[in-house]
């Protein structure tokens, strides 16, 4: 990656030193820029105005106020600034309610109803304050020392010394008392301070490395701001790791385009999805248990598994067919093998009678020799080489050597062919498509839309997700997929899972931290391979992973070797089944939380910092999480069954003992193998239904409503989706009186007060 040249300093440094205000156009402010070009690092300790530069250059910078709390900065060394329309950005904005500009001698002040943007003319720098003059965000400016070691690079377009390729750079102040989150599904520590992050989509083949299936060019700070980069080119972010006082950004582009969002983390996530698109609620059945492995091979095998699941009273809604439903394992021709699936329609119907939906695997690298390949080839539907030949990705897992061509989703005709074939399977009876891979789109390939591979590589998963989700929506009504790769905007096409973990204790928390990081990058829904993907799983490891994995939005067991619970020992079967039963009882809470998460753009698997941003103790906690608004999960990730748990502010109730625990303290616990450390936040409204073998197996007649009483005054609300009703519940504590208001419903409610106390709750 050329962006890493900032570390070796093998670049020509172009720096914007000064800006001159030109004019206002609507809610945009246009500046002419003056920069200096340095061919090499100058180490002498000289006054800045004595440094000899080789060249001066001009450009233009535009600051556009999209709302009271969002502004966009674009910069280019040119006479005009291009619009830079991308598929990531779909939101439209009317501008701030009010905007004022003050033109001063040394700076320009732009005020909205919420923030004050100060543009310092020389040295060029942007600082955002609130109306109490508290600094929220600082952008650009000179290095934060006087030795000119090139440890940071303010706004400009640098160039590689070897091939003169451009590298856009920018920096943001990093405070010693600040935490940074986001950048996608990262398997490193949740707080990114001190890390160097490449925004590069990769097949990670691990969940304990810096590689990632789902990089997102977005971060959020505890200081009250977030930044989204409207770029898909390769990018590197040094979060205090190049200069300890800066978040340094480098992008393989010849321009800069980024959005700055102000607010608390919740507000920033909501506004980020205003820019890149809101999520959608997946179908209700998808919140059930998913049975999967690599790979079931036939109708007979999976029908037997379905019957065994029902016989053993293990609730399940989805059975997934992975890589071997074709005539040959991994041969993605989108044709069900005629010998092993002789009557696909009858197969889907038989599964449906037992309450099962079927998920089908595929990938975008198509082996030659099939009708599917030929139809794509006929419309120039594959990524090409520079010589105009079909690009061979080499991603083929068969004995016979074949080309594996990459579908070009920038070609509308290729998308039509893809959706025709996927649509045929969905019409036949499949309910969801596994949108696997997508990380290997050729960086040096030629794409139909004329974009370079270096711009298309990261963007490819968004187009891939979109193509599969749109045909699924057309046929089944909801754009629901099961995807591994993602990019900014992919939250519009849920669900995504965490890739290829290994079946050992070391993989549990890095996978979880990646899911929490993904949630802090604008995604509401996420899953993982319960038990680990590769290797044998079982025993305490599987139990502990199952306990945690059932408290994500979606829960799927998947991997190599056996993954059917009834094939394990009695203790594993009993404990895992008990937790699956608990999940199914919690479906009214889970599905209601999913609806709310889409409305608020908050993740269901939620980092503590989202709810407790002002508590620095939670900033580095990545081994606990909230499930929706009310549950605190502290998974056991070691064989000794011991861990420390931090309880944030408030009062918490132990789900099992009903004991109350005061917040703002650490507690060491030992947890028996059948007990997941599980706690409920005061004010919680937890609706529970009956155990079912699959979702909506029968109509619910009664809901048990668990209430965790407030210890002080407070109000909470929750809307319960049950049968065909949406029932709003409101719980209020005021001056010692507790009131519960439940909307009229055909369903009966049984109130259960948590916390081992006698408490009268007035029901309206």
């Amino acid at each position: 990656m050329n962006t890493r040249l900032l570390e070796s300093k093998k670049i020509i440094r172009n720096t914007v030193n000064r800006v001159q205000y030109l004019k206002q156009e609507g809610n945009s402010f246009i500046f002419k820029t003056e920069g200096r070009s340095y061919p090499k690092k100058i180490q002498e300790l000289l006054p800045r105005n004595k440094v000899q530069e080789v060249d001066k250059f001009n450009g233009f910078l535009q600051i556009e106020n999209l709302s009271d709390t969002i502004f966009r900065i674009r910069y280019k060394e040119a006479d005009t600034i291009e619009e830079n329309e991308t598929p990531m950005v779909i939101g439209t904005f009317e501008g701030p309610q009010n905007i004022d500009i003050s033109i001063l001698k040394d700076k320009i002040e732009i005020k909205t109803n919420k923030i004050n943007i100060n543009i310092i003319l020389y040295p060029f720098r942007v600082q955002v304050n609130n109306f109490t003059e508290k600094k929220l965000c600082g952008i650009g400016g000179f290095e934060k020392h006087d030795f000119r070691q090139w440890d940071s690079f303010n706004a400009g377009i640098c160039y590689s010394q070897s091939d003169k390729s451009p590298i856009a750079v920018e920096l943001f102040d990093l405070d010693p008392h600040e935490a940074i989150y986001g950048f996608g599904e990262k398997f490193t520590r949740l707080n990114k301070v001190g890390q160097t992050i490449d925004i590069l989509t990769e097949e990670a083949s691990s969940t304990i490395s810096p590689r990632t299936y789902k990089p997102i060019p977005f971060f959020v700070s505890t200081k009250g701001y977030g930044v989204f980069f409207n770029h898909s080119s390769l990018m590197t972010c040094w979060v205090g790791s190049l200069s300890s006082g800066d978040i340094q950004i480098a992008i393989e582009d010849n321009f800069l385009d980024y959005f700055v969002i102000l607010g608390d983390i919740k507000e920033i996530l909501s506004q980020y999805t205003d820019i890149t698109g809101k999520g959608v609620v997946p179908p209700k059945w998808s919140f059930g248990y998913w049975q999967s492995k690599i790979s079931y091979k036939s109708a007979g095998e999976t029908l037997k598994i379905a019957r065994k699941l029902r016989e053993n009273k293990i609730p399940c809604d989805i059975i997934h067919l992975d890589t071997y439903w074709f005539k040959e394992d991994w041969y993605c021709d989108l044709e069900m093998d005629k010998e092993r699936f002789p009557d696909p329609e009858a197969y889907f119907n038989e599964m449906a009678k037992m309450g099962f939906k079927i998920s089908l695997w595929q990938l975008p690298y198509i082996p030659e020799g099939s009708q599917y390949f030929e139809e794509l080839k006929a419309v120039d539907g594959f990524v090409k080489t520079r010589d105009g030949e079909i690009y061979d990705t080499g991603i083929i897992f068969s004995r016979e050597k074949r080309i594996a061509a990459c579908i070009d989703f920038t070609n509308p005709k290729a998308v039509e062919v893809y959706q025709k074939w996927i649509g045929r399977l969905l019409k036949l009876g499949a309910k969801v498509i596994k949108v696997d891979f997508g990380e290997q789109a050729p960086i040096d390939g030629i794409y139909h839309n004329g974009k370079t591979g270096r711009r298309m590589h990261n963007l490819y998963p968004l187009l891939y997700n979109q193509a599969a989700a749109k045909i699924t929506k057309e046929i089944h009504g909801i754009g629901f997929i099961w995807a591994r790769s993602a990019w900014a905007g992919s939250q519009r096409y849920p669900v995504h899972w965490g890739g290829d973990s290994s079946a050992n204790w070391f993989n549990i928390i890095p996978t979880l931290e990646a899911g929490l990081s993904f949630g802090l990058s604008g995604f509401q829904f996420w899953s993982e391979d319960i038990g680990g993907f590769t290797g044998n799983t079982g025993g305490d490891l599987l139990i502990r992973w199952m306990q945690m994995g059932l408290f994500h939005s979606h829960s799927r067991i998947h991997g190599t070797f056996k993954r059917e619970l009834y094939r394990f020992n009695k203790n594993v079967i009993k404990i895992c089944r008990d937790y699956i039963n608990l999940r199914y009882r919690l479906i009214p809470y889970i599905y209601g939380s999913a609806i709310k998460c889409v409305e608020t753009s908050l993740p269901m698997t939620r980092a503590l910092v989202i709810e407790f941003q002002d508590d620095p103790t939670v900033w580095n906690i990545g081994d606990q999480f909230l499930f929706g608004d009310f549950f605190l999960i502290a998974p056991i990730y070691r064989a000794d069954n011991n861990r420390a748990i931090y309880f944030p502010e408030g009062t918490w109730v132990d789900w099992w003992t009903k004991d109350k625990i005061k917040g703002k303290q650490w507690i060491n616990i030992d947890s028996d193998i059948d007990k997941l450390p599980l706690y409920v936040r005061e004010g919680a409204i937890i609706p529970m239904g009956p155990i079912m073998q699959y979702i909506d197996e029968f109509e619910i007649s009664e809901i048990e409503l668990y209430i965790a009483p407030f210890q002080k005054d407070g109000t909470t609300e929750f809307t319960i989706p049950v049968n065909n009703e949406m029932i709003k519940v409101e719980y209020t504590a005021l001056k010692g009186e507790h009131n519960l208001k439940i909307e009229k419903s055909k369903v009966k409610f049984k109130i259960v007060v948590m916390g081992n106390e006698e408490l009268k709750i007035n029901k309206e």
Side-chain angles (χ1 to χ4, degrees):
M1 291 177 64
N2 284 341
T3 51
R4 289 284 188 151
L5 291 173
L6 267 64
E7 297 170 339
S8 65
K9 315 297 193 275
K10 293 179 179 178
I11 58 172
I12 298 167
R13 177 174 184 169
N14 282 12
T15 292
V16 175
N17 280 17
R18 187 187 307 271
V19 298
Q20 175 189 352
Y21 175 64
L22 296 180
K23 60 182 177 179
Q24 178 179 354
E25 293 181 350
N27 295 317
S28 293
F29 301 88
I30 313 298
F31 298 82
K32 183 179 180 181
T33 66
E34 178 187 298
R36 293 180 176 180
S37 183
Y38 304 93
K40 61 181 181 178
K41 185 173 63 171
I42 298 172
Q43 298 184 13
E44 294 85 358
L45 185 60
L46 296 172
R48 294 187 188 275
N49 59 3
K50 295 294 184 183
V51 175
Q52 297 298 308
E53 69 279 0
V54 168
D55 198 8
K56 292 183 179 181
F57 59 90
N58 296 322
F60 283 88
L61 181 133
Q62 179 174 326
I63 298 178
E64 181 182 6
N65 290 80
L66 301 173
S67 73
D68 283 333
T69 50
I70 303 175
F71 63 93
R72 180 182 184 183
I73 292 182
R74 283 181 284 170
Y75 165 72
K76 192 167 185 180
E77 292 176 7
D79 295 333
T80 58
I81 297 173
E82 297 166 5
E83 192 57 39
N84 189 33
E85 293 182 358
T86 73
M88 293 108 74
V89 176
I90 65 170
T92 56
F93 298 86
E94 295 180 356
Q97 291 182 355
N98 184 54
I99 192 165
D100 292 316
I101 181 170
S102 300
I103 303 173
L104 307 175
K105 182 180 178 182
D106 58 347
K107 68 177 181 177
I108 306 294
E109 289 186 358
I110 303 170
K111 290 185 179 180
T112 72
N113 287 345
K114 297 287 183 69
I115 57 172
N116 184 359
I117 307 169
N118 294 279
I119 299 103
I120 293 92
L121 303 180
Y122 178 82
F124 170 59
R125 173 177 164 80
V126 177
Q127 182 165 311
V128 186
N129 300 334
N130 63 18
F131 285 159
T132 64
E133 289 307 309
K134 177 186 175 184
K135 175 184 153 189
L136 302 174
C137 173
I139 306 169
F142 286 144
E143 285 187 78
K144 294 178 173 63
H145 59 65
D146 292 327
F147 295 91
R148 284 186 280 286
Q149 292 292 310
W150 289 16
D151 294 321
S152 62
F153 300 79
N154 59 306
I157 311 298
C158 300
Y159 295 88
S160 162
Q161 289 179 359
S162 61
D163 63 7
K164 303 301 185 288
S165 56
I167 306 168
V169 294
E170 184 58 285
L171 59 83
F172 302 82
D173 295 351
L174 180 63
D175 192 85
H177 190 64
E178 180 177 11
I180 301 295
Y181 306 98
F183 297 114
E185 183 193 65
K186 302 295 292 182
F187 300 105
T188 53
R189 292 290 182 261
L190 184 61
N191 179 1
K192 299 304 185 285
V193 172
Q195 298 180 33
T196 299
I197 297 164
D198 289 324
I199 304 297
L200 170 67
T201 309
E202 297 182 84
E203 184 180 359
S205 299
S206 163
T207 59
I208 59 170
S209 84
R211 298 182 298 276
T212 178
Y213 307 95
K214 308 173 190 67
I216 306 296
F218 166 79
F219 72 83
V220 60
S221 164
T222 52
K223 284 293 182 184
Y225 79 100
V227 184
F228 164 61
F229 299 91
N230 190 27
H231 294 260
S232 59
S233 297
L234 310 187
M235 177 174 168
T236 300
C237 313
W238 293 263
V239 189
S241 54
L242 196 63
S243 160
S244 60
D246 297 289
I247 302 167
Q248 179 67 61
I249 306 296
I251 308 164
E252 290 189 9
D253 267 324
N254 63 351
F255 65 95
L256 275 170
D257 182 4
Y258 59 90
F259 296 72
V260 180
I261 310 165
L262 289 306
D264 61 31
I265 292 175
K266 287 183 177 182
E267 292 167 336
I268 290 165
L269 291 175
S270 179
Q271 292 177 91
Y272 166 72
T273 57
D274 287 339
I275 298 167
T276 59
K278 299 294 184 181
V280 296
V281 181
K284 188 177 180 182
W285 53 260
S286 74
F287 295 92
Y289 181 64
W290 294 54
Q291 179 65 54
S292 179
K293 68 171 285 186
I294 182 169
S295 172
Y296 300 132
K297 300 177 184 178
S298 69
E301 179 187 18
T302 49
L303 284 165
K304 182 180 177 181
I305 289 166
R307 294 180 184 116
K308 290 286 284 184
L309 288 167
R310 295 290 182 248
E311 178 187 323
N312 285 274
K313 299 293 183 186
I314 299 169
C316 182
D317 272 81
I318 304 95
I319 290 179
H320 172 67
L321 300 178
D322 215 55
T323 61
Y324 207 175
W325 55 275
F326 319 111
K327 65 181 180 182
E328 180 184 332
D329 197 9
W330 289 91
Y331 185 78
C332 184
D333 63 355
L334 297 189
E335 298 270 12
M336 300 193 87
D337 181 69
K338 290 180 172 57
E339 291 186 10
R340 290 176 285 112
F341 297 90
D343 190 343
E345 188 174 355
Y347 167 69
F348 287 122
N349 288 338
E350 185 65 24
M351 281 293 193
K353 286 177 186 175
M354 290 187 282
F356 288 98
K357 309 318 191 270
I358 298 298
S359 164
L360 293 179
W361 176 93
Q362 54 82 72
L363 83 173
Y365 315 126
I366 311 307
E368 64 180 332
S370 68
Q371 184 182 343
Y372 182 35
F373 179 95
E374 292 302 325
E375 286 191 22
L376 284 163
K377 181 181 177 182
V379 297
D380 277 337
F382 295 121
V383 178
K384 300 291 185 65
T385 66
R386 288 189 175 91
D387 297 328
E389 301 296 322
I390 292 175
Y391 196 109
D392 183 4
T393 65
I395 302 168
I396 188 79
F397 298 91
S398 64
R399 294 174 187 172
E400 185 181 338
K401 280 200 169 184
R402 303 183 180 99
I403 288 174
C406 182
I407 299 175
D408 187 346
F409 289 104
T410 72
N411 182 340
K413 291 183 179 178
V415 173
E416 284 180 19
V417 172
Y418 174 78
Q419 291 179 334
K420 169 193 153 185
W421 281 80
I422 294 295
R424 185 178 60 83
L425 294 165
L426 295 170
K427 289 173 183 175
L428 193 61
K431 292 297 182 184
V432 60
I433 298 299
K434 181 174 174 179
V435 182
D436 205 358
F437 287 80
E439 304 91 357
Q440 299 92 344
I443 289 181
D444 56 346
I446 303 299
Y447 292 77
H448 180 268
N449 66 355
K451 302 276 187 184
T452 66
R454 301 190 82 80
R455 285 191 179 170
M456 285 308 307
H457 174 80
N458 283 333
L459 188 60
Y460 188 90
L462 173 60
L463 305 182
Y464 178 30
N465 291 177
Q466 177 178 273
K470 284 191 171 181
I471 188 62
T472 306
K473 182 178 181 181
E474 182 181 315
I475 292 170
H476 289 322
I478 299 176
F480 172 66
I481 58 175
W482 188 270
R484 187 173 76 175
S485 60
W487 184 245
S490 286
Q491 70 274 3
R492 310 192 295 256
Y493 314 113
V495 167
H496 298 82
W497 97 97
D500 296 343
S501 54
S502 297
N504 62 59
W505 294 100
F506 295 102
N507 277 245
I508 293 177
I509 294 305
T511 305
L512 171 61
E513 290 199 272
L516 298 177
S517 183
F518 197 52
L520 280 157
S521 304
F523 289 76
Q524 292 80 61
F525 305 110
W526 178 82
S527 187
E528 60 175 319
D529 289 344
I530 293 173
F533 171 67
T534 60
N536 282 305
T537 193
D540 289 2
L541 174 69
L542 176 55
I543 289 170
R544 291 305 193 190
W545 213 319
M546 181 70 69
Q547 289 170 346
M548 178 181 76
L550 288 166
F551 285 89
H552 299 318
S553 72
H554 291 76
S555 299
R556 183 185 75 156
I557 192 168
H558 179 65
T560 56
F561 305 107
K562 66 180 181 182
R563 288 298 188 274
E564 303 77 33
L565 290 177
Y566 55 78
R567 297 179 63 192
F568 293 90
N569 67 49
K570 290 182 179 179
N571 198 45
V572 170
I573 296 171
K574 181 186 183 305
I575 295 172
C576 290
R577 180 171 51 209
D578 286 347
Y579 277 88
I580 296 172
N581 283 336
L582 175 58
R583 179 178 177 90
Y584 273 73
R585 288 205 66 199
L586 284 168
I587 287 298
Y589 173 79
I590 293 170
Y591 191 48
S593 296
I595 294 168
K596 187 174 182 181
C597 284
V598 168
E599 291 170 352
T600 59
S601 295
L602 296 181
M604 286 188 70
T605 302
R606 191 174 306 172
L608 299 185
V609 69
I610 293 176
E611 295 289 338
F612 303 98
Q613 182 175 335
D614 295 330
D615 182 355
T617 305
V618 308
W619 290 0
N620 294 307
I621 294 179
D623 61 357
Q624 299 174 211
F625 62 98
L626 297 167
F627 182 52
D629 290 343
F630 298 133
F631 277 109
L632 173 65
I633 317 295
I636 299 295
Y637 52 89
R638 297 197 307 243
D640 63 7
N641 295 326
N642 177 268
R643 66 160 295 152
I645 302 173
Y646 180 70
F647 293 90
E649 186 176 6
T651 300
W652 300 83
V653 180
D654 187 306
W655 179 259
W656 309 110
T657 67
K658 306 301 184 282
D659 291 339
K660 289 187 291 188
I661 301 164
K662 275 195 168 185
K664 302 212 82 169
Q665 65 167 324
W666 287 91
I667 295 179
N668 257 321
I669 61 110
D670 289 294
S671 184
D672 292 339
I673 190 62
D674 63 342
K675 290 292 185 291
L676 166 72
L678 180 62
Y679 306 90
V680 174
R681 192 176 182 177
E682 67 173 302
I685 301 169
I686 310 288
M688 295 186 71
I691 295 172
M692 297 186 184
Q693 292 307 296
Y694 56 91
I695 287 175
D696 288 341
E697 180 184 9
F698 51 83
E699 194 168 271
I700 293 174
S701 58
E702 183 179 76
I703 290 287
E704 285 188 355
L705 201 59
Y706 285 73
I707 304 295
F710 281 112
Q711 302 305 299
K712 298 178 182 178
D713 293 350
T715 298
T716 48
E717 294 179 356
F718 193 83
T719 300
I720 306 170
V722 55
N723 302 330
N724 293 316
E725 297 183 81
M726 297 292 288
I727 306 161
K728 185 177 177 181
V729 177
E730 183 179 293
Y731 163 49
T732 302
L734 182 64
K735 297 179 180 178
E737 189 170 295
H738 297 259
N739 293 293
L740 191 64
K741 185 177 180 181
I742 303 174
E743 280 186 339
K744 259 190 171 183
S745 166
K746 297 175 184 176
V747 178
K748 294 179 182 178
F749 282 86
K750 178 184 175 183
I751 312 303
V752 181
V753 179
M754 304 183 72
N756 287 333
E757 60 179 298
E758 293 294 327
L759 182 69
K760 182 184 177 184
I761 294 185
N762 302 315
K763 181 182 169 186
E764 296 181 33

